[in-house]
Amino acid sequence: MFIVIFRATTRELDAEYSVTAARMRELAMQEFGCLDFHSVCEGREEISLSYWPDEASIRAWKNHPEHLLAQQRGRERWYESYSVEIAQVSRQYQVTGK
Amino acid sequence: MFIVIFRATTRELDAEYSVTAARMRELAMQEFGCLDFHSVCEGREEISLSYWPDEASIRAWKNHPEHLLAQQRGRERWYESYSVEIAQVSRQYQVTGK
């Protein structure tokens, strides 16, 4: 399994940002095989994690026309800067509190 | 490079949580070779990312007595549940907005 780790410093976010973010998540999960998606924002910091079965799915998702347009809007309007890491999971565990 | 992806659902957080979190970050970076650390909280969701040169450093860090105690307190007091993934970075890029 692979994880795409997206970390961003945001500018002012508008209504279109929320609509686009929700649509990108829907597209990833319904059409590109994304397994899971988690996004957390605090002030101007955003971390979004998406989980994928393989790198081919990530590439297909990255190059989808609607996603390319969202990426362009992100650079122009919503994000001051962002970084992306693609990483392969080697171990994973879950803990439930006592 | 490896990333430890920590995702948690928190309970009520207290002053000791903040002190412990800051100390764990300091310990990781100053004594165990952690390269970078980012934590974002929104409501009861927390995502913390730490970046490491290799898996041996992560294991050493996980088993440090002070960190083991913090993990125990986390399970007992601060976290309803959490998950951890250890993942190896295969690609990485940064984008500056226009």
Side-chain angles (χ1 to χ4, degrees):
Chain A
M1 188 170 68
F2 289 80
I3 307 183
V4 176
I5 296 136
F6 176 88
R7 276 195 298 117
T9 303
T10 58
R11 306 192 226 215
E12 283 297 309
L13 299 179
D14 51 25
E16 196 186 337
Y17 168 81
S18 305
V19 171
T20 303
R23 171 65 183 146
M24 289 306 105
R25 178 183 175 139
E26 180 192 37
L27 195 66
M29 297 199 71
Q30 293 187 353
E31 298 188 31
F32 288 91
C34 178
L35 303 165
D36 204 358
F37 197 102
H38 298 276
S39 188
V40 174
C41 297
E42 182 180 3
R44 295 177 63 215
E45 280 190 279
E46 173 186 337
I47 295 177
S48 293
L49 306 172
S50 57
Y51 294 72
W52 302 82
D54 51 54
E55 289 195 280
S57 303
I58 298 169
R59 273 193 297 273
W61 149 246
K62 184 174 193 289
N63 292 317
H64 184 271
E66 209 175 326
H67 192 193
L68 288 171
L69 188 62
Q71 290 169 51
Q72 187 188 334
R73 289 221 177 113
R75 288 190 299 272
E76 289 173 357
R77 208 190 297 177
W78 300 314
Y79 295 119
E80 190 173 295
S81 62
Y82 60 85
S83 66
V84 175
E85 282 115 17
I86 293 97
Q88 184 168 19
V89 175
S90 52
R91 276 185 300 141
Q92 184 178 39
Y93 60 92
Q94 296 191 323
V95 175
T96 303
K98 286 173 186 168
Chain B
M1 187 168 71
F2 288 80
I3 307 183
V4 176
I5 296 137
F6 176 88
R7 277 193 298 117
T9 302
T10 58
R11 306 192 226 216
E12 283 296 308
L13 299 178
D14 51 26
E16 197 187 337
Y17 169 81
S18 306
V19 171
T20 304
R23 171 65 184 146
M24 289 305 106
R25 178 183 174 140
E26 180 192 37
L27 194 67
M29 297 198 71
Q30 292 186 355
E31 298 188 32
F32 288 91
C34 178
L35 304 165
D36 204 357
F37 197 102
H38 297 276
S39 187
V40 174
C41 297
E42 181 181 1
R44 295 177 63 216
E45 280 190 279
E46 174 186 337
I47 295 177
S48 293
L49 305 172
S50 57
Y51 293 72
W52 303 83
D54 50 54
E55 290 194 279
S57 303
I58 298 169
R59 273 193 297 273
W61 150 244
K62 184 173 192 291
N63 293 318
H64 184 271
E66 209 175 325
H67 192 192
L68 288 172
L69 188 62
Q71 289 168 53
Q72 186 188 333
R73 289 220 177 114
R75 287 190 299 270
E76 289 173 356
R77 206 189 298 176
W78 300 314
Y79 295 119
E80 189 172 296
S81 61
Y82 61 85
S83 66
V84 176
E85 282 115 17
I86 292 96
Q88 183 168 20
V89 175
S90 53
R91 276 184 300 141
Q92 184 179 41
Y93 60 92
Q94 296 191 322
V95 174
T96 304
K98 286 173 186 169

